[in-house]
Coordinates of all heavy atoms in Angstrom, one line a residue:
M97 N 4.5 1.1 16.9 CA 5.6 0.5 17.5 C 6.5 1.6 18.2 O 6.9 2.6 17.5 CB 6.4 -0.2 16.5 CG 7.6 -0.9 17.1 SD 8.7 -1.9 15.9 CE 7.5 -2.6 14.8
D98 N 6.9 1.3 19.5 CA 7.6 2.3 20.2 C 9.1 2.3 19.7 O 9.6 1.5 19.0 CB 7.6 2.2 21.6 CG 8.2 0.9 22.1 OD1 9.5 0.7 21.7 OD2 7.5 0.1 22.9
R99 N 9.8 3.5 19.9 CA 11.1 3.7 19.4 C 12.0 2.7 19.8 O 13.0 2.1 19.2 CB 11.5 5.1 19.7 CG 10.9 6.2 19.0 CD 11.4 7.5 19.3 NE 10.6 8.5 18.9 CZ 10.8 9.3 17.7 NH1 12.0 9.1 17.1 NH2 10.0 10.1 17.3
A100 N 12.0 2.2 21.2 CA 12.9 1.3 21.7 C 12.7 0.0 21.1 O 13.8 -0.7 20.8 CB 12.7 1.2 23.3
R101 N 11.5 -0.4 20.8 CA 11.3 -1.8 20.2 C 11.9 -1.8 18.8 O 12.5 -2.6 18.3 CB 9.8 -2.1 20.1 CG 9.5 -3.4 19.4 CD 8.1 -3.7 19.3 NE 7.5 -4.1 20.6 CZ 6.3 -4.5 20.9 NH1 5.4 -4.4 20.0 NH2 6.0 -4.9 22.1
L102 N 11.6 -0.7 18.1 CA 12.1 -0.4 16.6 C 13.7 -0.5 16.7 O 14.3 -1.2 15.9 CB 11.5 0.8 16.0 CG 12.0 1.1 14.6 CD1 11.6 -0.1 13.7 CD2 11.4 2.3 14.1
A103 N 14.3 0.1 17.7 CA 15.7 0.2 17.7 C 16.3 -1.3 17.9 O 17.3 -1.7 17.3 CB 16.2 1.2 18.8
R104 N 15.6 -1.9 18.9 CA 16.1 -3.3 19.1 C 16.0 -4.2 17.9 O 16.8 -5.1 17.5 CB 15.3 -3.9 20.3 CG 15.7 -3.4 21.7 CD 15.2 -4.2 22.8 NE 13.8 -4.5 22.7 CZ 12.8 -3.7 23.1 NH1 13.0 -2.6 23.7 NH2 11.5 -4.1 23.0
L105 N 14.9 -4.0 17.3 CA 14.6 -4.8 16.1 C 15.5 -4.6 14.9 O 16.1 -5.4 14.3 CB 13.1 -4.6 15.5 CG 12.5 -5.6 14.6 CD1 12.6 -7.0 15.1 CD2 11.2 -5.2 14.4
R106 N 15.9 -3.3 14.7 CA 16.8 -2.8 13.7 C 18.2 -3.4 14.0 O 19.0 -3.9 13.3 CB 16.9 -1.5 13.6 CG 15.7 -0.9 12.8 CD 15.9 0.4 12.2 NE 14.9 0.8 11.3 CZ 14.3 2.0 11.2 NH1 14.7 2.9 11.9 NH2 13.4 2.2 10.3
A107 N 18.6 -3.3 15.4 CA 19.9 -3.8 15.9 C 20.0 -5.4 15.6 O 21.0 -5.8 15.1 CB 20.1 -3.5 17.3
S108 N 19.0 -6.1 15.9 CA 18.9 -7.5 15.6 C 19.0 -7.9 14.3 O 19.8 -8.8 13.9 CB 17.6 -8.1 16.2 OG 17.6 -8.0 17.6
A109 N 18.2 -7.2 13.3 CA 18.3 -7.4 11.9 C 19.7 -7.2 11.4 O 20.3 -7.9 10.5 CB 17.3 -6.6 11.2
T110 N 20.4 -6.0 11.8 CA 21.8 -5.8 11.4 C 22.7 -6.7 11.8 O 23.5 -7.2 11.1 CB 22.1 -4.3 12.0 OG1 21.2 -3.3 11.4 CG2 23.5 -4.0 11.6
E111 N 22.5 -7.3 13.0 CA 23.5 -8.3 13.5 C 23.3 -9.6 12.7 O 24.2 -10.3 12.3 CB 23.2 -8.6 15.1 CG 24.2 -9.7 15.5 CD 23.8 -10.0 17.1 OE1 23.0 -9.3 17.7 OE2 24.3 -10.9 17.5
A112 N 22.0 -9.9 12.5 CA 21.7 -11.3 11.8 C 22.2 -11.1 10.3 O 22.7 -12.3 9.7 CB 20.2 -11.5 11.8
L113 N 22.0 -10.0 9.7 CA 22.4 -10.0 8.4 C 23.8 -9.4 8.0 O 24.2 -9.3 6.9 CB 21.3 -9.2 7.6 CG 20.0 -10.0 7.5 CD1 18.8 -9.1 7.3 CD2 20.0 -11.1 6.5
G114 N 24.4 -8.7 9.1 CA 25.7 -8.4 9.0 C 26.0 -7.0 8.3 O 27.0 -6.5 8.1
D115 N 24.8 -6.3 8.2 CA 24.9 -5.0 7.5 C 23.6 -4.2 7.8 O 22.5 -4.7 7.7 CB 25.1 -5.2 6.0 CG 25.0 -3.9 5.1 OD1 26.2 -3.3 4.9 OD2 24.0 -3.5 4.7
S116 N 23.6 -2.9 8.1 CA 22.4 -2.2 8.5 C 21.6 -2.0 7.3 O 20.3 -2.0 7.5 CB 22.8 -0.8 9.1 OG 23.5 0.0 8.1
E117 N 22.0 -1.8 6.1 CA 21.1 -1.7 5.0 C 20.4 -3.0 4.7 O 19.1 -3.0 4.3 CB 21.8 -1.2 3.8 CG 21.0 -1.0 2.6 CD 19.9 0.0 2.8 OE1 20.0 1.0 3.4 OE2 18.8 -0.2 2.2
K118 N 21.1 -4.0 4.8 CA 20.4 -5.3 4.5 C 19.3 -5.7 5.5 O 18.3 -6.1 5.3 CB 21.5 -6.5 4.5 CG 22.3 -6.5 3.2 CD 23.3 -7.6 3.3 CE 24.3 -7.7 2.1 NZ 25.3 -8.7 2.3
G119 N 19.8 -5.4 6.8 CA 18.8 -5.5 7.9 C 17.6 -4.6 7.8 O 16.4 -5.1 7.9
S120 N 17.7 -3.4 7.3 CA 16.5 -2.4 7.1 C 15.7 -3.1 5.9 O 14.5 -2.9 6.0 CB 17.0 -1.1 6.8 OG 17.6 -0.4 7.9
R121 N 16.3 -3.5 4.9 CA 15.6 -4.0 3.7 C 14.8 -5.3 4.2 O 13.7 -5.4 3.8 CB 16.6 -4.4 2.6 CG 16.1 -4.1 1.3 CD 17.1 -4.4 0.1 NE 18.4 -4.9 0.4 CZ 19.5 -4.4 0.5 NH1 19.6 -3.1 0.0 NH2 20.7 -5.0 0.8
W122 N 15.4 -6.1 4.9 CA 14.7 -7.4 5.4 C 13.5 -7.0 6.2 O 12.5 -7.6 6.1 CB 15.8 -8.2 6.3 CG 15.2 -9.5 6.7 CD1 15.2 -10.7 6.0 CD2 14.5 -9.9 7.8 NE1 14.6 -11.6 6.7 CE2 14.2 -11.2 7.8 CE3 14.2 -9.1 9.0 CZ2 13.4 -11.8 8.9 CZ3 13.5 -9.7 10.0 CH2 13.1 -11.0 9.9
L123 N 13.6 -6.0 7.1 CA 12.5 -5.6 8.0 C 11.3 -5.0 7.1 O 10.1 -5.1 7.4 CB 12.8 -4.5 8.9 CG 13.8 -4.9 10.0 CD1 14.4 -3.8 10.8 CD2 13.1 -5.9 10.9
R124 N 11.5 -4.6 5.9 CA 10.5 -3.9 5.1 C 9.9 -4.8 4.0 O 9.0 -4.4 3.3 CB 11.1 -2.6 4.4 CG 11.4 -1.5 5.3 CD 11.7 -0.2 4.7 NE 12.8 -0.4 3.5 CZ 14.0 -0.3 3.6 NH1 14.5 0.0 4.8 NH2 14.8 -0.4 2.6
R125 N 10.6 -6.0 3.8 CA 10.0 -6.9 2.7 C 9.1 -8.0 3.3 O 9.3 -8.5 4.3 CB 11.3 -7.6 2.1 CG 12.0 -6.7 1.2 CD 13.0 -7.4 0.4 NE 13.7 -6.5 -0.6 CZ 14.9 -6.7 -1.1 NH1 15.5 -7.9 -0.8 NH2 15.4 -5.9 -1.8
P126 N 8.1 -8.2 2.5 CA 7.2 -9.3 3.0 C 8.0 -10.6 3.1 O 8.9 -10.9 2.3 CB 6.2 -9.5 1.7 CG 6.2 -8.2 1.1 CD 7.7 -7.6 1.2
N127 N 7.6 -11.3 4.1 CA 8.3 -12.6 4.5 C 7.4 -13.8 4.6 O 6.4 -13.7 5.3 CB 9.0 -12.3 6.0 CG 10.0 -13.4 6.3 OD1 9.5 -14.5 6.4 ND2 11.1 -13.0 6.6
R128 N 7.6 -14.7 3.8 CA 6.7 -16.0 3.8 C 6.5 -16.6 5.2 O 5.4 -17.1 5.4 CB 7.1 -16.9 2.7 CG 8.3 -17.7 2.8 CD 8.5 -18.6 1.8 NE 9.9 -19.2 2.1 CZ 10.7 -19.6 1.2 NH1 10.4 -19.5 -0.1 NH2 11.9 -20.1 1.5
T129 N 7.5 -16.6 5.9 CA 7.4 -17.3 7.3 C 6.5 -16.4 8.2 O 6.1 -16.9 9.3 CB 8.9 -17.5 7.9 OG1 9.4 -16.3 8.3 CG2 9.7 -18.5 7.1
L130 N 6.3 -15.2 7.9 CA 5.5 -14.3 8.7 C 4.1 -14.2 8.0 O 3.4 -13.1 8.1 CB 6.1 -13.0 8.9 CG 7.4 -13.1 9.6 CD1 8.2 -11.7 9.6 CD2 7.4 -13.6 10.9
G131 N 3.7 -15.0 7.1 CA 2.5 -15.0 6.4 C 2.3 -14.0 5.4 O 1.2 -13.5 5.0
G132 N 3.5 -13.6 4.9 CA 3.5 -12.7 3.7 C 3.5 -11.2 4.2 O 3.6 -10.3 3.4
K133 N 3.5 -11.0 5.5 CA 3.6 -9.6 6.1 C 5.1 -9.3 6.3 O 6.0 -10.2 6.3 CB 2.9 -9.6 7.4 CG 1.4 -9.8 7.4 CD 0.9 -9.7 8.8 CE -0.6 -9.8 8.8 NZ -1.2 -9.7 10.1
T134 N 5.3 -7.9 6.3 CA 6.7 -7.5 6.6 C 7.0 -7.8 8.1 O 6.0 -7.9 8.9 CB 6.9 -6.1 6.3 OG1 6.2 -5.3 7.2 CG2 6.5 -5.7 4.8
P135 N 8.2 -8.0 8.4 CA 8.6 -8.0 9.9 C 8.2 -6.8 10.6 O 7.8 -7.0 11.7 CB 10.2 -8.2 9.7 CG 10.4 -8.9 8.5 CD 9.4 -8.3 7.6
L136 N 8.3 -5.7 10.0 CA 7.8 -4.4 10.8 C 6.3 -4.4 11.0 O 5.9 -4.1 12.1 CB 8.1 -3.2 10.0 CG 9.5 -2.8 10.0 CD1 9.9 -1.6 9.1 CD2 10.2 -2.5 11.4
E137 N 5.5 -5.0 10.1 CA 4.0 -5.1 10.4 C 3.8 -6.1 11.5 O 3.0 -5.9 12.4 CB 3.4 -5.6 9.1 CG 3.2 -4.6 8.0 CD 2.6 -5.3 6.8 OE1 3.2 -6.2 6.2 OE2 1.5 -4.9 6.4
T138 N 4.4 -7.2 11.4 CA 4.4 -8.3 12.3 C 4.7 -7.9 13.7 O 4.0 -8.3 14.7 CB 5.0 -9.6 11.8 OG1 4.7 -9.9 10.5 CG2 4.8 -10.8 12.7
A139 N 5.8 -7.2 14.0 CA 6.3 -6.9 15.3 C 5.5 -5.8 15.9 O 5.9 -5.4 17.0 CB 7.7 -6.4 15.0
R140 N 4.4 -5.4 15.4 CA 3.5 -4.4 16.2 C 2.9 -5.0 17.5 O 2.5 -4.2 18.4 CB 2.5 -3.9 15.2 CG 3.0 -3.1 14.2 CD 1.9 -2.5 13.3 NE 2.5 -1.6 12.2 CZ 1.9 -1.4 11.1 NH1 0.8 -1.9 10.8 NH2 2.5 -0.7 10.2
T141 N 2.9 -6.3 17.6 CA 2.3 -6.9 18.8 C 3.5 -7.7 19.4 O 4.5 -8.0 18.8 CB 1.2 -7.9 18.5 OG1 1.7 -9.0 17.7 CG2 0.0 -7.2 17.8
E142 N 3.4 -8.1 20.6 CA 4.3 -8.9 21.4 C 4.5 -10.2 20.8 O 5.6 -10.8 20.6 CB 3.9 -9.0 22.9 CG 4.4 -8.0 23.9 CD 5.9 -7.6 23.7 OE1 6.8 -8.6 23.8 OE2 6.2 -6.5 23.5
A143 N 3.3 -10.9 20.4 CA 3.4 -12.2 19.8 C 4.1 -12.1 18.4 O 4.9 -13.0 18.1 CB 2.0 -12.7 19.7
G144 N 3.8 -11.0 17.7 CA 4.4 -10.8 16.4 C 5.9 -10.6 16.6 O 6.8 -11.0 15.8
L145 N 6.3 -9.9 17.5 CA 7.6 -9.5 17.8 C 8.5 -10.8 18.1 O 9.6 -11.0 17.6 CB 7.9 -8.6 18.9 CG 9.3 -8.2 19.4 CD1 9.9 -7.5 18.1 CD2 9.3 -7.4 20.6
R146 N 7.9 -11.8 18.7 CA 8.5 -13.0 19.0 C 8.6 -13.8 17.8 O 9.7 -14.5 17.4 CB 7.7 -13.8 20.1 CG 7.9 -13.4 21.4 CD 7.4 -14.3 22.5 NE 6.0 -14.6 22.4 CZ 5.0 -13.7 23.0 NH1 5.4 -12.7 23.6 NH2 3.8 -14.0 22.8
L147 N 7.7 -13.8 16.8 CA 7.8 -14.5 15.6 C 8.9 -13.9 14.8 O 9.7 -14.6 14.1 CB 6.4 -14.4 14.8 CG 5.3 -15.1 15.3 CD1 4.0 -14.7 14.5 CD2 5.5 -16.6 15.3
V148 N 9.0 -12.6 14.7 CA 10.2 -11.9 14.0 C 11.5 -12.4 14.6 O 12.4 -12.6 13.8 CB 9.9 -10.3 13.9 CG1 11.1 -9.6 13.4 CG2 8.6 -10.0 13.2
E149 N 11.6 -12.2 15.8 CA 12.9 -12.7 16.5 C 13.2 -14.1 16.2 O 14.4 -14.4 15.9 CB 12.7 -12.5 18.0 CG 12.7 -11.1 18.4 CD 12.4 -10.7 19.9 OE1 11.8 -11.7 20.5 OE2 12.7 -9.6 20.3
E150 N 12.1 -15.1 16.1 CA 12.5 -16.3 15.7 C 13.0 -16.4 14.3 O 13.8 -17.2 13.9 CB 11.2 -17.2 15.9 CG 10.8 -17.5 17.2 CD 9.4 -18.1 17.4 OE1 8.9 -18.5 16.4 OE2 9.0 -18.2 18.6
A151 N 12.4 -15.6 13.4 CA 12.8 -15.7 12.0 C 14.2 -15.1 11.9 O 15.0 -15.7 11.1 CB 11.8 -14.7 11.1
L152 N 14.5 -14.1 12.7 CA 15.9 -13.5 12.6 C 16.9 -14.6 13.1 O 18.1 -14.7 12.7 CB 16.0 -12.2 13.5 CG 15.5 -11.1 12.7 CD1 15.4 -10.0 13.8 CD2 16.4 -10.7 11.6
G153 N 16.4 -15.4 14.1 CA 17.3 -16.4 14.7 C 17.6 -17.6 13.6 O 18.7 -18.0 13.5
R154 N 16.7 -17.8 12.8 CA 16.8 -18.7 11.6 C 17.8 -18.1 10.7 O 18.5 -18.8 10.1 CB 15.4 -19.1 11.1 CG 14.6 -20.0 11.8 CD 13.4 -20.6 11.2 NE 12.4 -19.6 10.8 CZ 11.5 -19.1 11.6 NH1 11.4 -19.6 12.9 NH2 10.6 -18.1 11.2
V155 N 17.8 -16.9 10.4 CA 18.7 -16.2 9.5 C 20.1 -16.3 10.0 O 20.9 -16.6 9.3 CB 18.2 -14.7 9.3 CG1 19.5 -14.0 8.5 CG2 17.0 -14.6 8.6
M156 N 20.2 -16.1 11.3 CA 21.6 -16.0 12.0 C 22.2 -17.5 11.9 O 23.4 -17.6 11.8 CB 21.4 -15.5 13.4 CG 21.2 -14.1 13.6 SD 21.1 -13.6 15.2 CE 22.8 -13.5 15.6
Y157 N 21.3 -18.5 12.1 CA 21.8 -19.8 12.2 C 21.7 -20.7 10.9 O 21.8 -21.8 11.0 CB 21.3 -20.5 13.4 CG 21.6 -19.8 14.7 CD1 20.7 -19.0 15.4 CD2 22.9 -19.8 15.2 CE1 21.1 -18.3 16.5 CE2 23.4 -19.0 16.2 CZ 22.4 -18.2 16.9 OH 22.8 -17.5 18.0
G158 N 21.4 -20.0 9.9 CA 21.5 -20.6 8.6 C 20.3 -21.4 8.1 O 20.2 -22.2 7.2
S159 N 19.2 -21.3 8.8 CA 17.9 -22.0 8.4 C 17.3 -21.1 7.4 O 17.5 -20.0 7.5 CB 17.1 -22.2 9.7 OG 17.7 -23.1 10.6
P160 N 16.5 -21.8 6.4 CA 15.8 -21.0 5.5 C 14.7 -20.1 6.2 O 14.2 -20.4 7.1 CB 15.1 -22.1 4.6 CG 15.5 -23.4 5.1 CD 16.4 -23.3 6.4
V161 N 14.6 -18.9 5.5 CA 13.6 -18.0 6.0 C 12.5 -17.9 4.9 O 12.8 -17.8 3.8 CB 14.3 -16.6 6.2 CG1 13.2 -15.6 6.6 CG2 15.4 -16.7 7.2

């Protein structure tokens, strides 16, 4: 994953979770909505990145993740 994509993803996770450490932790933990993969694994492709962004949107707006 390129540095720019990773930086955007970290910024989005920090914004969604309200804290950079929580955001970093979320990116590294397996996520059931992503088929048990971590968001960082999933975001390696464009399609996967969209899935991670959708998951972050659910976090931001109170839907279960």
